[in-house]
């Protein structure tokens, strides 16, 4: 079913839900000015020095030219210092406070959900503000933009560090996806917001939720590969649609 606004029947489903899980992707940050990876909804797509994202954010480049990978992430980190969460992020932080059980699962590494006040957050692809030591695996915050040193050195052992994010060609960090699967399986309402839903395993979460009996609501300006698993696709921008679930009701 396709809708373009949040109707009363959807508000009733939202109000009656006890366990809610949400999967977000790049689209939820698009209205803050962060480009998406594959476009859609009229968004700008990431490009940098003429290279494609799959080449830049790749395990292969990390192995051959880690300095370049850090420069790319530095560019992205620099951009993030100039932007702020949008009404979609803020609505999700408010949603969390309404439900007994609420899990926000994101593929984004930009930290904007946390900046907006979300607490129970599962970051499937890591966090751009963290580095991980290639020698001892310690993780630490790397907030300077640009970095003082490329690569930054581990605060524990002095070894070189890499961004603590999941690159193309890498597995998800242990444990985080299992927790996301559990949240999807116990949800009675699952939202899939601002993702093209082509990158697995994240894209499998709405399917898990649906198979376990949840209602699935998609929010995206366009239909996606996951739309066929959604009970409703709300065609629109996250910043316009999400606040409608919690607007004052007369
Ligand atoms: N509100 C909601 N959705 C939007 C908006 C908006 N304002 N603007 C665009 N979108 C939608 C697009 O229509 C598209 O379906 O956001 C989606 C963005 O898709 P992708 O760029 O593919 O981003 P994502 O699904 O998060 O990518 C998954 O791929 O490159 C990797 O690791 C990276 O986490 C990322 C993963």
């Amino acid at each position: 079913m396709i809708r373009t606004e949040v109707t009363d029947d959807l508000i009733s489903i939202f109000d009656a839900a006890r366990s809610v899980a949400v999967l977000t992707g790049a689209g939820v940050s698009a209205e803050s000015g962060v480009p998406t990876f594959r476009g859609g909804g009229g968004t700008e797509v990431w490009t940098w020095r003429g290279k494609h994202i799959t080449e830049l954010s790749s395990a292969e480049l990390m192995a051959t030219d880690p300095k370049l990978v850090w420069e790319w992430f530095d560019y992205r980190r620099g951009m993030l210092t100039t932007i702020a969460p949008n009404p979609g992020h803020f609505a999700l932080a408010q949603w969390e406070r309404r439900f007994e059980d609420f899990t926000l699962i994101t593929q984004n590494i930009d930290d904007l959900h946390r900046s907006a006040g979300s607490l129970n957050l599962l970051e499937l692809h890591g966090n751009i503000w963290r580095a991980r030591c290639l020698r001892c695996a310690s993780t630490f915050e790397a907030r300077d933009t640009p970095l003082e040193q490329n690569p930054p050195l581990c605060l524990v052992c002095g070894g070189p560090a890499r961004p603590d994010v999941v690159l193309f060609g890498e597995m998800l960090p242990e444990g985080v996806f299992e927790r996301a699967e559990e949240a999807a399986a116990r949800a009675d309402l699952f939202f899939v917001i601002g993702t093209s839903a082509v990158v697995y395993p994240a894209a499998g979460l709405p399917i898990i939720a649906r198979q376990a009996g949840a209602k699935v609501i998609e929010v995206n300006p366009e239909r996606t590969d996951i739309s066929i698993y959604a009970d409703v696709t709300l065609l629109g921008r996250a910043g316009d649609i999400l606040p409608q679930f919690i607007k004052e009701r007369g």
Side-chain angles (χ1 to χ4, degrees), residues 25-28 30-31 36-41 43 53 107-108 125 168 193-199 219-222 224 236-238:
V28 81
E31 288 155 78
T36 61
F37 300 101
R38 297 172 189 82
T43 54
I53 175 100
Q107 298 167 89
N108 301 345
H125 295 163
F168 283 100
I193 302 170
T195 175
S196 59
V198 293
V199 174
V219 179
N220 198 306
E222 297 183 357
T224 68
R237 304 187 327 158

Side-chain angles (χ1 to χ4, degrees), residues 94 118 218:
Q94 281 179 270
S118 286
E218 179 179 42

Side-chain angles (χ1 to χ4, degrees), residues 169-184:
E170 294 181 334
M171 307 282 282
L172 300 190
E174 208 169 304
V176 67
F177 188 71
E178 289 72 8
R179 288 169 62 203
E181 271 183 316
E182 283 161 20

